């Protein structure tokens, strides 16, 4: 699903505040910013988040929500996270761009 945001889309070098849910293809959750009680803050382009998240954000304006399916090359690549997520696993990513700082 997608919801449009308002204003300018995020750009390379922007500091952003983001809520996210990472899931396996079967829908089981891997990680979620909602569990931490506040959005994740990072700068697009510094490699602090996986490429799929950074690329998706650069199509989103504040308030926007989007769900993307990421190939492993844009996710964790050859890194095995756990038994359920071996290397080269795709991810489902639900994103909400809370704000651009």
């Amino acid at each position: 699903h997608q919801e449009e945001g308002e204003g300018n889309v995020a750009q390379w070098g922007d500091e952003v505040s983001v809520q996210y849910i990472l899931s396996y293809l079967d829908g089981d959750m891997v990680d979620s910013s909602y569990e931490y009680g506040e959005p994740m803050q990072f700068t697009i382009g510094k490699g602090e988040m996986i490429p799929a998240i950074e690329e998706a954000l650069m199509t989103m304006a504040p308030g926007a929500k989007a769900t993307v399916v990421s190939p492993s090359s844009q996710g964790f690549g050859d890194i095995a996270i756990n038994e359920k997520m071996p290397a080269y696993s795709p991810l489902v990513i639900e994103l909400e761009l809370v704000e651009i700082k």
Side-chain angles (χ1 to χ4, degrees):
H1 77 250
Q2 278 197 298
E3 285 182 36
E4 294 294 319
E6 291 187 17
N8 296 323
V9 297
Q11 297 179 14
W12 194 262
D14 283 347
E15 186 181 342
V16 293
S17 183
V18 176
Q19 295 279 25
Y20 67 87
I21 300 171
L22 301 181
S23 303
Y24 304 104
L25 290 182
D26 68 6
D28 284 356
M29 193 174 75
V30 178
D31 186 33
S32 169
S33 62
Y34 294 100
E35 292 190 334
Y36 307 119
E38 60 185 39
M40 179 72 74
Q41 295 184 12
F42 62 95
T43 301
I44 296 174
K46 285 195 172 175
E48 298 167 347
M49 292 298 259
I50 59 174
I53 289 178
E54 293 190 333
E55 289 180 17
L57 288 171
M58 289 189 285
T59 67
M60 297 169 68
K65 294 182 180 182
T67 302
V68 294
V69 178
S70 166
S72 64
S73 61
Q74 297 297 300
F76 296 105
D78 61 0
I79 300 167
I81 301 301
N82 55 31
E83 284 179 12
K84 192 161 177 180
M85 185 178 284
Y88 307 109
S89 293
L91 278 173
V92 178
I93 305 165
E94 295 175 59
L95 288 172
E96 177 184 355
L97 178 52
V98 179
E99 66 176 329
I100 300 172
K101 300 264 183 208

